[in-house]
Amino acid sequence: MDVETLINPHLRAMQPYTPIVPFEVLSRRLGRRPEDIVKLDANENPYGPSPRALEAIAHANTLHIYPDPDQTALREAIGDYIGVSPEHILCGAGADEVIDLIARAFIQPGDALIDLPPTFGMYRWVADVVNAAYVAVPRRADFSVDVQAVQALVTSNLAPTVTNYKLLFVADPNNPDGSTICDEQLRALLALPVVIVLDEAYVDFSAHSSRVSWVPAHDNLIVLRTFSKLAGMAGLRVGYGVFPLPIIKHLWKIKQPYTPNVAGTVAAIAALSDRDYLRENVRWLVIERRRMSELLGRLGWLHVFPSEANFVLCRVAEGAPVNGGDPRWPAARRLKQALEQQGVLVRYFDRDGLRDCVRISVGRPDQTDRLMAALEALGR
Ligand SMILES: Cc1ncc(COP(=O)(O)O)c(C=O)c1O
């Protein structure tokens, strides 16, 4: 028996998600100590968790006990923070787990999941896992959402093989470019007969405020948030969704009972009690985003897209002064590799619409300085 034939056929054909190379692996490969590496490739928050969160983990005395499956204390703390009743809130091991739950709750094989690429790769990945019909409505050249194209698709059924449009994922701000969606466009999407999953992983860095308060009034709006970016807790894996009541009761039924874990839970509650710390770090990152964007733009061979997140997308001119790398590769890919040799990690996507771009996370000022020194050393 060929045991592989027993795997679901759609999973055998599926492409894996491409995560970033783990820090320790790169550190070994580059022969550099982890503290000598400037990690600007995964939109993490370089300031890390609040000291109160670290203390809460150090003093947690219930690590030998399963977490509260109802997430009572965590949901209350989040509800208080975002101003929405806890009955609308469900937490998971990162927003990623909540994305997975949503797809499992709504999609039967062949139902459509609408994606707005270029965007966060997890939406495509989860569509493949649940065997959805993946329908892409590409963003415009400036990365804005083509609302009319989405309307045309959903209302006139432009993809005739698809019968059921179920979910539409909108990252706001969008990863990888940091653009946002305005109220008017969001309202137009909410008028469509699909569920809008508004992914606000980066909203804390944006000029506009969160739309969580819209949820109780819109039965087809789900908003996702995370502690990974705002609270510097990516490694602890805590995220949540804010759901309409007719939806959330079904998600509770299919959710694994014990996520997030105890360490993540106590850290998240403590992080929310230290709002000055969260606010200050956001303020520093927004200031640094502006400084880094200006410095990058001054090089003359990077086009920096305006961003409202903790990263910026840069288009790399073909004539960029990047030595080394395979000459058949786009300049952006060679740039990523050349920076890596100097211990500076940025993100390159081998994907349509992004092959001439790199995405650079906003770090601490000293990290921006290392990045700039590495960029300026390239042509020499
Ligand atoms: C748009 C977006 N949503 C969600 C996530 C994942 O968040 P979490 O770490 O909470 O799983 C990311 C991570 O990079 C992201 O870019």
Side-chain angles (χ1 to χ4, degrees):
M1 177 184 69
D2 177 0
V3 74
E4 204 180 342
T5 61
L6 303 184
I7 299 278
N8 279 337
H10 76 278
L11 296 182
R12 267 184 279 149
M14 178 184 157
Q15 292 299 313
Y17 182 72
T18 350
I20 44 147
V21 180
F23 202 37
E24 302 78 24
V25 175
L26 255 174
S27 157
R28 237 175 292 136
R29 195 199 290 165
L30 297 173
R32 285 178 187 269
R33 292 176 306 163
E35 55 273 28
D36 290 339
I37 295 178
V38 175
K39 189 172 183 326
L40 303 177
D41 61 346
N43 304 339
E44 289 129 341
N45 182 330
Y47 296 107
S50 150
R52 288 193 201 170
L54 298 177
E55 214 173 296
I57 297 174
H59 293 114
N61 58 7
T62 54
L63 293 179
H64 60 300
I65 292 173
Y66 287 108
D68 167 13
D70 294 329
Q71 310 165 342
T72 315
L74 179 57
R75 288 167 51 235
E76 271 170 16
I78 293 170
D80 182 53
Y81 180 66
I82 63 174
V84 173
S85 160
E87 63 187 336
H88 289 279
I89 298 166
L90 175 147
C91 308
D96 284 350
E97 187 194 2
V98 186
I99 292 170
D100 185 55
L101 276 175
I102 293 167
R104 288 202 281 126
F106 282 93
I107 303 284
Q108 295 190 54
D111 289 345
L113 182 154
I114 307 171
D115 196 17
L116 309 173
T119 191
F120 184 40
M122 191 58 64
Y123 315 140
R124 160 104 228 196
W125 176 83
V126 87
D128 290 345
V129 171
V130 298
N131 208 3
Y134 173 81
V135 183
V137 180
R139 287 168 180 262
R140 298 200 181 89
D142 63 355
F143 297 102
S144 59
V145 176
D146 191 343
V147 173
Q148 278 150 355
V150 177
Q151 285 169 325
L153 176 79
V154 175
T155 55
S156 62
N157 206 358
L158 291 178
T161 49
V162 174
T163 48
N164 258 343
Y165 291 96
K166 291 270 185 84
L167 296 173
L168 166 60
F169 280 85
V170 188
D172 177 56
N174 189 42
N175 175 3
D177 62 288
S179 64
T180 58
I181 187 162
C182 68
D183 284 0
E184 191 190 344
Q185 286 184 312
L186 184 57
R187 284 211 180 86
L189 294 177
L190 283 167
L192 297 170
V194 288
V195 170
I196 310 294
V197 185
L198 188 71
D199 184 343
E200 292 190 344
Y202 302 101
V203 76
D204 305 280
F205 307 101
S206 140
H208 76 68
S209 45
S210 164
R211 269 70 170 244
V212 280
S213 63
W214 291 28
V215 172
H218 292 89
D219 267 0
N220 64 336
L221 174 63
I222 297 171
V223 176
L224 305 179
R225 303 281 293 271
T226 177
F227 287 79
S228 297
K229 321 293 176 180
L230 167 69
M233 288 177 35
L236 282 164
R237 312 303 302 128
V238 186
Y240 56 97
V242 183
F243 294 88
L245 298 182
I247 292 177
I248 197 165
K249 58 185 182 191
H250 299 290
L251 286 170
W252 281 115
K253 290 189 280 186
I254 63 167
K255 183 192 168 295
Q256 294 275 348
Y258 301 128
T259 59
N261 66 36
V262 172
T265 300
V266 296
I269 293 169
L272 292 179
S273 78
D274 198 356
R275 297 189 190 177
D276 287 346
Y277 180 88
L278 301 180
R279 253 192 310 268
E280 255 319 85
N281 288 340
V282 167
R283 199 171 73 80
W284 279 116
L285 288 167
V286 169
I287 290 171
E288 195 57 17
R289 179 179 72 207
R290 201 172 312 133
R291 187 175 84 96
M292 183 172 86
S293 300
E294 264 171 39
L295 292 172
L296 292 170
R298 271 193 228 152
L299 291 171
W301 46 270
L302 287 178
H303 171 78
V304 184
F305 289 91
S307 166
E308 295 202 22
N310 65 340
F311 51 83
V312 294
L313 188 73
C314 305
R315 181 158 285 146
V316 185
E318 265 312 311
V322 188
N323 296 326
D326 188 329
R328 286 166 302 181
W329 287 357
R333 185 166 172 188
R334 286 186 283 118
L335 174 63
K336 181 227 148 68
Q337 201 194 34
L339 287 174
E340 195 173 290
Q341 298 309 318
Q342 299 193 58
V344 177
L345 312 182
V346 301
R347 187 80 198 258
Y348 175 73
F349 303 92
D350 192 6
R351 238 193 271 157
D352 286 350
L354 294 175
R355 288 194 178 84
D356 54 353
C357 294
V358 291
R359 189 196 65 197
I360 308 178
S361 308
V362 180
R364 298 182 311 261
D366 62 292
Q367 294 179 307
T368 305
D369 295 342
R370 276 275 309 274
L371 164 75
M372 294 313 301
L375 285 166
E376 278 153 16
L378 283 178
R380 290 187 211 135

